[in-house]
Amino acid sequence: MSNPGGDWEDGTPERLYVITGGRSGDLEPSHLDLVTLIIAKSGPRPGMQPEHAAIMRLCSSPLSLAEISAYLGLPVSVVTVLLGDLLAAGHVLSRPPVAPAKLPDLALIEAVIDGLRKL
């Protein structure tokens, strides 16, 4: 039951609705996933929505979408919408995580081992 005169609890659907402006996704696909790294181009600007400013402060060094969500205590879906806003405005940069190194071809490994045995 809602409490019209009281403070909202942090995780209520009403608060999350207000934070995102009722949006559940970006206007344009942003290709963000849980391990996408986000870094702020600068500090927060005056007049920014508090959640946007919090993301800007957190992302002074690269953080993944999942980490930002955990630090802010907001669902990933909400953080994705907020990051979409910041990306569209050019306040943050995103990049996929560094891909794991590809393993060399098995034939190459066998050739190296064979060469080492001949030493």
Side-chain angles (χ1 to χ4, degrees), residues 50-61:
E51 292 78 14
H52 285 144
I55 290 171
M56 298 287 290
R57 281 190 295 276
L58 280 173
C59 294
S60 59
S61 59

Side-chain angles (χ1 to χ4, degrees), residues 35-100:
V35 293
T36 300
L37 296 176
I38 306 293
I39 187 157
K41 288 181 165 183
S42 64
R45 305 220 190 311
M48 274 188 148
Q49 180 177 333
E51 292 78 14
H52 285 144
I55 290 171
M56 298 287 290
R57 281 190 295 276
L58 280 173
C59 294
S60 59
S61 59
L63 285 178
S64 70
L65 189 154
E67 291 172 308
I68 296 166
S69 175
Y71 285 131
L72 294 178
L74 293 171
V76 169
S77 58
V78 171
V79 173
T80 301
V81 170
L82 296 173
L83 286 174
D85 296 343
L86 292 170
L87 285 164
H91 295 306
V92 297
L93 298 172
S94 70
R95 69 173 175 90
V98 176

